[in-house]
């Protein structure tokens, strides 16, 4: 097999050092290829590597990354029109038609490391051929190779008690057992999840700690898809690094089912759990096939508070089913539940996204609202039946942008959003001082 020059590019990954570059880099360099990593969210495109690479592969794990890809690929093609272009990650197979138009020849979804190594080994034989592969095969992972990536200190940090900590990032599993309608994992994995071997995860953490990591974010779609696997990792983590903290994403459904593990999370250093709650309205939760109810969320909130593992809920408050009254109830609920400091302001302005392949398009009411696919926005646009709801959404978006520039606190911004939605102050439901300082990552949650 002839060695090739490979350039792996990430455009955006939520302010994290990209596991989606470091993991395949280990496979490719292990096969003798010359690998360069480029995280365009933190550094410029390496012109020399782009000009010389025989294989250029873009990591597309999310919607924002894919939109940014559309700009980056034009420059890459101008610098090196003969390179074999590849795209991999959740959003690659979902946007196959668009990627083909952008010059991408190989598209990989699911478990991508082995597939990328195969492409590199055959790149000279592939020529202009086009292929799409979604692999859910189990892989024996390799320790990620982060050589050439920007230092951890240049990425999102953990804010806690007025100071910040350097954050590392790893993944203990991929895919998900569940079939939430709005989730981009589902069209690719279809209810399957795959683990990264514990010794690989721990060695990856070990190397990041050596590079200054004081906190680890586990990027699994759901950390408790395999509870035994997760517990084995965090107990080993805490044994080796007693002062190292971490956060993870866990479904409300799993927080209830595995409530006995909340104490384990607390004692092993978990400082908060992110959970995609999405809505406090049971009818909307049913449409999204979330697998939990409003009552389940309230119970999970009580359980996590009792265990002293703060819950960081994420929401999609603007959907076709949202009304002005339901949004006002949502805001009042957050105030009553003392969640103003636990919810990032942007979570009060998230609008339901309809990307290519979304299972929501199976719903008649969504099909009736969806406009033709917008290749620039990478989604099916929709307008709310009540124009006032869309006006409120746009106004809240602008308010949040202004407050971010002013470095307003979460409570200050929440109060302004509430007044905008309600047409006046919350009154007796005015946000109370936070009962405790809730740690959070300095890069907001976007999709």
């Amino acid at each position: 097999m002839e060695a090739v020059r490979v350039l792996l590019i990430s455009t955006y990954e939520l302010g994290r050092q990209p596991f989606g570059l470091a993991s395949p880099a280990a496979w490719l360099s292990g096969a003798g290829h010359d690998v360069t990593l480029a995280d365009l969210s933190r550094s410029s495109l390496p012109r020399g590597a782009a000009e010389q690479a025989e294989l250029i592969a873009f990591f597309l794990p999310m919607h924002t990354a894919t939109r940014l890809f559309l700009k980056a690929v034009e420059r890459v093609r101008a610098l090196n029109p003969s390179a074999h272009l590849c795209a991999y990650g959740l959003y690659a197979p979902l946007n196959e038609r668009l990627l083909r138009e952008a010059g991408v020849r190989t598209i990989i979804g699911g478990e991508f490391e082995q597939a990328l190594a195969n492409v590199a080994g055959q790149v000279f034989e592939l020529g202009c051929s086009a292929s799409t592969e979604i692999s859910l095969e189990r892989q024996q992972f390799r320790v990620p190779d982060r050589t050439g990536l920007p230092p951890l200190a240049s990425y999102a940090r953990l804010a806690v008690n007025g100071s910040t900590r350097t954050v590392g990032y790893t993944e203990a599993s991929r895919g998900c057992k569940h079939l939430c309608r709005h989730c981009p994992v589902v069209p690719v994995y279809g209810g399957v999840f795959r683990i990264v071997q514990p010794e690989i995860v721990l060695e990856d953490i070990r190397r990041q700690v050596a590079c200054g990591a004081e906190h680890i974010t586990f990027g699994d779609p759901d950390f408790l898809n395999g509870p035994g696997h997760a517990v084995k990792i965090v107990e080993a983590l805490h044994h080796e690094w007693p002062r190292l903290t971490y956060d993870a994403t866990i479904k409300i459904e799993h927080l209830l089912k595995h409530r006995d593990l909340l104490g384990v999370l607390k004692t092993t250093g978990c400082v908060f759990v992110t959970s995609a709650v999405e809505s406090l309205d049971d009818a909307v939760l049913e449409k999204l096939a979330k697998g939990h109810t409003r009552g389940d969320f309230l119970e999970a909130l009580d359980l996590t508070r009792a265990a002293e593992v703060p819950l960081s809920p994420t929401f999609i408050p603007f959907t076709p089913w949202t009304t002005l009254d339901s949004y006002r109830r949502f805001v009042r609920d957050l105030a009553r539940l003392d969640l103003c400091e636990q919810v990032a302001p942007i979570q009060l302005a998230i609008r339901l996204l309809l990307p290519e392949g979304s299972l929501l398009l199976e719903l008649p009411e969504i099909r009736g609202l969806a406009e033709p696919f917008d290749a620039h926005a990478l989604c099916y646009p929709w307008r709310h039946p009540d124009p006032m709801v869309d006006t409120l959404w746009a106004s809240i978006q602008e308010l949040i942008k202004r407050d971010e520039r002013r470095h307003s606190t979460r409570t200050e911004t929440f109060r302004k959003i509430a007044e905008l939605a309600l047409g006046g102050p919350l009154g007796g439901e005015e946000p109370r001082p936070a009962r405790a300082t809730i740690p959070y990552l300095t890069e907001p949650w976007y999709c």
Side-chain angles (χ1 to χ4, degrees), residues 260-282:
D260 56 313
L261 296 181
L262 291 175
V264 176
L265 297 180
K266 172 64 177 178
T267 59
T268 55
C270 183
V271 293
F272 71 91
V273 166
T274 299
S275 193
V277 178
E278 314 303 29
S279 178
L280 301 182
D281 185 315
D282 281 336

Side-chain angles (χ1 to χ4, degrees), residues 301-322:
L301 183 61
D302 287 342
L303 287 170
T304 53
R305 282 177 169 167
E308 298 182 337
V309 179
L311 188 63
S312 178
T314 64
F315 294 100
I316 308 175
F318 287 95
T319 72
W321 308 289
T322 301

